[in-house]
Amino acid sequence: MRALRTLALLPLILFSLLSSTAALAETMYQVEVIVFRQTTQQLAAARPAPDDWAQGALPIDPNQERATSLNNEAGKLTPANGYNVLLHKAWAQSIGTSPASVALSTGTEQFGHFPVEGTLNLKQDRLIDLDAKLWVNRFDDSGLLSSSELIKHSVRLQSGELTYLDHGSLGLLVRINPL
């Protein structure tokens, strides 16, 4: 009789093990990004950002946007200190073993482009892999994109750790915390 009860519980035990494994595969995080410029330096702009800058990445769902927590750090990036914050956003996102891509932008859209636009690709193995590709755009008097600066980095991040990525006159601060 005891063997029959144990046998009857086996599917339930297996299902709970599979469910917990799937839950570990994708974890919710708060991702926060600050893109800033050093006002004392400005690189000569390269060719403009491509029209398909988002490369199939989806914009941040407004329901997933979160309050920013790196406000002290952003507050230090002032023109008086030689910096200018170009983008500061935080959102909730699930990150798993398959890359998850999000499109970031800020400012007024002009002919399909924003003053700051780009993508972040995130995936997690033991650490979190980040591929960032962000453009800071300049527009001519008619609103057409005339030139862009690109910050492109691939880095492994430790969860909860503030990471600084430097690219000439542009910088990126990123922190990814589990929710």
Side-chain angles (χ1 to χ4, degrees):
M1 194 64 145
R2 185 177 300 184
L4 287 175
R5 260 189 294 188
T6 305
L7 190 58
L9 290 175
L10 187 61
L12 183 60
I13 293 169
L14 287 174
F15 178 73
S16 67
L17 286 173
L18 289 173
S19 296
S20 65
T21 303
L24 290 174
E26 294 246 342
T27 306
M28 287 298 287
Y29 289 90
Q30 175 162 321
V31 180
E32 187 164 358
V33 174
I34 300 174
V35 178
F36 62 94
R37 171 190 302 290
Q38 292 182 9
T39 55
T40 56
Q41 286 185 339
Q42 205 163 2
L43 292 177
R47 56 181 211 249
D51 288 337
D52 67 340
W53 61 269
Q55 301 170 347
L58 297 175
I60 298 168
D61 181 342
N63 295 325
Q64 296 300 320
E65 290 183 15
R66 299 288 187 257
T68 56
S69 62
L70 295 175
N71 299 323
N72 288 338
E73 290 79 356
K76 295 174 185 176
L77 299 170
T78 64
N81 291 332
Y83 301 99
N84 186 21
V85 173
L86 305 172
L87 178 142
H88 186 185
K89 290 193 179 208
W91 66 95
Q93 179 176 344
S94 64
I95 302 173
T97 55
S98 298
S101 187
V102 64
L104 296 175
S105 62
T106 191
T108 304
E109 181 182 359
Q110 298 183 48
F111 301 107
H113 289 280
F114 296 87
V116 179
E117 61 192 15
T119 59
L120 294 182
N121 292 314
L122 297 161
K123 76 175 186 174
Q124 182 177 22
D125 202 6
R126 222 182 77 236
L127 299 173
I128 298 171
D129 293 328
L130 166 72
D131 290 318
K133 191 185 252 187
L134 298 158
W135 287 270
V136 176
N137 296 319
R138 295 188 193 122
F139 300 92
D140 64 18
D141 293 337
S142 63
L144 294 174
L145 183 61
S146 60
S147 61
S148 304
E149 293 176 74
L150 173 63
I151 180 169
K152 183 177 178 181
H153 273 284
S154 294
V155 65
R156 291 201 131 163
L157 304 174
Q158 186 74 24
S159 178
E161 203 172 272
L162 181 61
T163 302
Y164 167 63
L165 304 173
D166 183 25
H167 186 76
S169 66
L170 298 175
L172 182 69
L173 289 172
V174 181
R175 183 164 57 195
I176 301 175
N177 289 321
L179 290 176

